[in-house]
Each structure stands twice: as structure tokens, then as C-alpha cells.
Amino acid sequence: MIVDQIDTGKVIAGALVFVAERRARFAKALAIPFVVYCSLDFAYLLNPGAVGEALVAFLELLAQTVLAISTHRLLLLGDDSIPDWGLTSWGKRELYFVMHLFLVMLCLVPAALLAFIPAVGPILALVAAGWILARDESQQSCRHQAEHHEKEMYDEVEFPLTPTC
């Protein structure tokens, strides 16, 4: 398969125009998680202690998850993909996102440790982190392509609901 050259400027401009045209929808869907996230950021000013900071960080992660999933669903699946005021429940999709994020962060710990090597450490850490993140993206892309191919395969086959004897 020959991959055509993608004009990055056109892709970025198209994405910005797409969001600008739907800014009212995005603002309404992302308002609540954005306010929650900003409010949690102010909680650090109260000096909550180590346990409080961990709790605030976890709640911020949940708010970021809702922001990320809502944004991507609106961009990729359209206006009807989430309720008017954004995601209002926590499901498997959100849990999978958070678990995946923790796994990627865990995989990046060895790369971060490379940064302590004198002189070349920061460069090695960046290369290792880039490699880990690229592998993660390529695996997700392959999984998505396999699922899409499987769906196409089943769409071509018709299964009758009643037996034809």
C-alpha cells in the first residue's frame, strides 16, 4: 500500500477550523470537567499534606480523563457522541484510559532513570521515552486496524435471524 504525503499544515488548519466552528458545543460539554479541574488546582494552595496532595492529583487525573475522552469523542464521532453537558458517568472506556495511562507511566520510569547518567543521560532518556511511546502508539494503531478489518469482514457476511430450512 502506498501512503500519500500528508500536508501537516492543512491537517492542523482543518482541525482548528473544525473546533472553532463547534466552539459552543465544546464549551458546553467541557465546562464542568474544566471547572472541576481548575478548582482542584486551587486545592494545592491549601497545603493539604502528602495524602491530600495524592488525593487531589488522583482527582485531577479523573478530570483530565473526562476532558480528554469528551474532546476526542466530539472530534472523532461528532456532536451526538456525548450528552450536551459532557460525560456524566464513568464506564469501561474511562477506566481503560486511566489504566493505560498508568501502564505507560510505569514503562517510562526506566527511561527517566537514564537521565541521571552524566553528559548523555538526558538525550538517552528522551530517546528511550520516544521509543516507548512510539511502540505504544504503533500497537494501538495495529489493534485498531485489526478490529476495523474484523468488523469489515463480519459486515460482508449476512447472518439470518431465522433458520432457512
Side-chain angles (χ1 to χ4, degrees):
M1 177 188 331
I2 298 174
V3 178
D4 295 336
Q5 290 291 334
I6 297 174
D7 185 2
T8 308
K10 285 183 181 179
V11 171
I12 292 172
L16 292 174
V17 167
F18 183 85
V19 172
E21 289 173 349
R22 291 164 180 77
R23 63 185 172 273
R25 175 69 173 111
F26 275 90
K28 189 173 182 182
L30 301 175
I32 294 172
F34 179 75
V35 168
V36 169
Y37 181 73
C38 290
S39 300
L40 288 169
D41 209 30
F42 284 116
Y44 286 115
L45 298 175
L46 302 174
N47 296 325
V51 174
E53 282 186 11
L55 178 64
V56 170
F58 179 74
L59 293 174
E60 281 183 335
L61 175 67
L62 298 182
Q64 289 172 356
T65 299
V66 172
L67 282 167
I69 290 175
S70 296
T71 301
H72 286 92
R73 288 186 66 81
L74 282 172
L75 283 171
L76 299 174
L77 301 176
D79 292 342
D80 296 330
S81 61
I82 62 172
D84 286 344
W85 286 99
L87 296 174
T88 55
S89 62
W90 191 266
K92 289 180 186 177
R93 175 181 50 239
E94 292 79 14
L95 182 62
Y96 177 78
F97 180 86
V98 170
M99 298 296 279
H100 189 158
L101 185 63
F102 277 127
L103 182 61
V104 169
M105 288 187 328
L106 187 64
C107 290
L108 288 174
V109 169
L113 293 175
L114 290 173
F116 293 106
I117 298 174
V120 295
I123 294 170
L124 288 175
L126 287 173
V127 169
W131 182 76
I132 291 168
L133 293 173
R135 286 186 52 83
D136 179 57
E137 275 301 313
S138 68
Q139 287 176 354
Q140 284 186 9
S141 176
C142 289
R143 187 177 322 121
H144 175 71
Q145 288 175 359
E147 290 170 356
H148 181 69
H149 177 69
E150 184 178 335
K151 182 182 179 307
E152 284 180 351
M153 198 169 64
Y154 283 117
D155 285 346
E156 293 173 3
V157 178
E158 292 183 17
F159 295 103
L161 295 176
T162 56
T164 55
C165 297

